[in-house]
Amino acid sequence: MENETRRIVGSGEKLNIWQSLFYGFQSVLACNLFLGPIVIIGIMKMDISSAAALISMTFLACGIATVIQSGFFLKFQVIQGMSFATIGAIIAIATQANFATFAGALIVASIVLMLIGWSKIFSKIVKNFIPELVAGTVILIIGLSLMPITFNSLIAIPGNPGVNFLEAGVTFAAMIVFMRLAHLPNKIGRVSMVGAVIYAIAIGTFVASLFGHVDLSPVASAPWFAVPQLFPFGAPQFELNSSLIMSFILLIVMVESIGTWFSIAEMSGEKLESDRIDKGVVGEAVGCLIGSFFGGLPVTSYASNSGVIAVTKVFSRYAAIGGGIIAVVMALCPKLMFLIAVVPSSVVWGIYGVICIMIMMSGLMSIRNYSLTERNILVIGTTVLTTIGATVLPPPLVQSMPPLLSYLFSSSICVGALTAIIMNLILPAKAADRALVTNS
């Protein structure tokens, strides 16, 4: 019989410095923290200096937020990265006003979110409106919503699509091989388990270099050290409408984060208590607030890291602290940041493919504990339907919606999460719907 009993390293278990940095490094690699700011840069058509500043400051904000969240508040292995649900709001505020107004809106929204966490309102909302069936469904649609992004991004990468898919496919296959080798009850299994992500990225990058897709010149020209600048886009400007919009968007983003937290709790076998949820909300708010001082973008707990730790089974928060420190050092040392940036996008998306599967299957494992009654099937099925629907909506249609709806429908994860919550409320649950299935 196949050995599936690898030891789970709990969130409170300490790692030594090198273990923390190693696991944290592969999480930073897999989470692709460059992606969010690169999307903003492309849409805003920023010049090179502004683009470099935005990427660097986003890494700084993500690193600080990760250390704060995993070290002092939520105390889970979470990597904080820019939330894609906020892109619509960022673009709207920055184009209609400027980045200084966006910074002011983010400051106000962070404080509002912080007060909600301190007042312990959010955990009560979760307890009453997000039972485990809904949480599992949210985890499922997080993985599901990331899958089209993987394929669309591979298609959009410059160059020969066939070569791009080949590089991604080799990386994907290497990742699967190392994951399976990790089950061997010997040294090969142990080595494969701890570094499957890094090994797969290394193989994928080597294959990409054979096609000339690895360019080390930015590393050579990048400086070794850069001093972060306080409010790099000017003193924050405060405007009521933009502040209200960002406050609403950050609440929506918390739905994404809650799904990630539930995913980690489900996989690790730990409890996500009300007190921990409220502390996590405060931690995310503090991370956004501090990041806003340095020109960083709003952060959320990245679902892609759940896929990484589903492979390694290392849930220790000290790995996330190591990842946060690496992100901060990279922000302060552009040469190191560009060294990671040379990993081709096709390789990253190859890793993402496996991560999407692991997240989605984690949600399915949670859902299978419930009886598939007609009511539960409707909750799950409608959520999946609206999530897929949101991913295929034409951008002009989304942009033509009222601002708040436009921001909401720009994130299929938010649409799906809200659908699950609403369906759970409007379809009363009977005793049969709450019954748990005994899996033999």
Side-chain angles (χ1 to χ4, degrees):
M1 182 176 177
E2 185 178 9
N3 178 26
E4 295 285 350
T5 58
R6 285 185 290 160
R7 190 177 78 87
I8 292 177
V9 180
S11 62
E13 291 191 49
K14 288 188 176 182
L15 304 174
N16 63 42
I17 293 177
W18 293 112
Q19 288 174 324
S20 299
L21 293 177
F22 181 82
Y23 286 115
F25 181 61
Q26 67 179 6
S27 289
V28 169
L29 281 176
C31 286
N32 198 15
L33 300 181
F34 277 95
L35 191 58
I38 284 175
V39 172
I40 299 292
I41 290 165
I43 295 174
M44 297 293 294
K45 295 181 172 60
M46 290 182 166
D47 58 55
I48 294 177
S49 60
S50 298
L54 184 64
I55 292 175
S56 178
M57 293 306 100
T58 298
F59 262 73
L60 181 63
C62 291
I64 293 174
T66 297
V67 172
I68 288 173
Q69 185 69 296
S70 57
F72 302 99
F73 288 94
L74 183 67
K75 296 184 179 181
F76 267 178
Q77 210 229 104
V78 291
I79 297 294
Q80 300 291 107
M82 180 201 144
S83 169
F84 285 84
T86 64
I87 288 179
I90 295 170
I91 298 300
I93 295 171
T95 53
Q96 295 175 19
N98 48 44
F99 267 100
T101 302
F102 162 70
L106 182 55
I107 290 173
V108 172
S110 300
I111 293 173
V112 170
L113 189 62
M114 198 183 305
L115 294 175
I116 290 174
W118 266 324
S119 66
K120 301 186 183 300
I121 294 175
F122 202 87
S123 62
K124 292 181 175 63
I125 294 174
V126 171
K127 183 177 180 180
N128 293 319
F129 301 120
I130 311 181
E132 289 187 20
L133 177 69
V134 172
T137 304
V138 170
I139 298 167
L140 167 67
I141 60 103
I142 287 174
L144 190 64
S145 65
L146 292 175
M147 289 181 176
I149 296 175
T150 302
F151 283 98
N152 290 335
S153 299
L154 277 171
I155 294 170
I157 295 173
N160 187 318
V163 174
N164 293 335
F165 273 91
L166 173 64
E167 294 167 356
V170 169
T171 308
F172 182 90
M175 181 79 166
I176 292 176
V177 169
F178 286 118
M179 287 173 63
R180 301 310 299 163
L181 288 175
H183 293 284
L184 295 176
N186 52 32
K187 186 175 181 180
I188 293 177
R190 292 192 296 272
V191 172
S192 297
M193 180 182 69
V194 300
V197 176
I198 288 182
Y199 307 150
I201 288 176
I203 290 174
T205 302
F206 171 74
V207 172
S209 69
L210 301 179
F211 294 96
H213 290 170
V214 179
D215 180 14
L216 295 175
S217 59
V219 181
S221 59
W224 278 104
F225 184 73
V227 179
Q229 181 182 350
L230 198 64
F231 299 120
F233 301 107
Q237 299 175 11
F238 300 95
E239 192 265 327
L240 180 61
N241 287 335
S242 60
S243 297
L244 289 174
I245 289 172
M246 280 307 303
S247 297
F248 175 78
I249 293 298
L250 286 194
L251 285 173
I252 295 296
V253 167
M254 284 309 308
V255 177
E256 288 190 65
S257 292
I258 283 290
T260 300
W261 302 348
F262 272 117
S263 177
I264 294 173
E266 176 71 22
M267 290 187 292
S268 64
E270 298 185 37
K271 294 289 186 182
L272 187 61
E273 306 92 347
S274 296
D275 184 59
R276 198 170 204 169
I277 290 173
D278 289 319
K279 286 181 179 179
V281 173
V282 175
E284 197 145 300
V286 171
C288 287
L289 180 63
I290 294 177
S292 68
F293 296 159
F294 298 100
L297 302 172
V299 297
T300 187
S301 300
Y302 260 24
S304 52
N305 190 49
S306 303
V308 175
I309 57 183
V311 174
T312 65
K313 304 299 182 185
V314 176
F315 294 87
S316 172
R317 62 193 178 94
Y318 293 95
I321 294 173
I325 291 172
I326 287 173
V328 170
V329 170
M330 287 169 60
L332 301 178
C333 181
K335 193 175 287 290
L336 291 179
M337 187 168 63
F338 278 104
L339 183 61
I340 287 185
V342 302
V343 176
S345 299
S346 56
V347 173
V348 174
W349 291 119
I351 294 292
Y352 244 71
V354 180
I355 286 172
C356 293
I357 294 172
M358 299 303 295
I359 295 171
M360 185 185 72
M361 293 310 298
S362 174
L364 286 175
M365 293 290 286
S366 179
I367 291 171
R368 75 171 185 169
N369 294 326
Y370 285 83
S371 299
L372 289 181
T373 61
E374 181 182 82
R375 184 260 183 192
N376 290 347
I377 288 173
L378 286 172
V379 171
I380 299 167
T382 305
T383 301
V384 171
L385 178 67
T386 56
T387 301
I388 294 174
T391 62
V392 299
L393 284 177
L397 175 61
V398 176
Q399 294 164 8
S400 67
M401 296 177 179
L404 289 182
L405 285 178
S406 178
Y407 303 145
L408 172 63
F409 279 91
S410 67
S411 171
S412 58
I413 294 175
C414 287
V415 172
L418 288 178
T419 300
I421 293 171
I422 293 171
M423 289 296 292
N424 183 68
L425 289 175
I426 65 177
L427 297 179
K430 299 178 182 179
D433 302 316
R434 300 189 187 95
L436 298 178
V437 175
T438 301
N439 298 306
S440 56

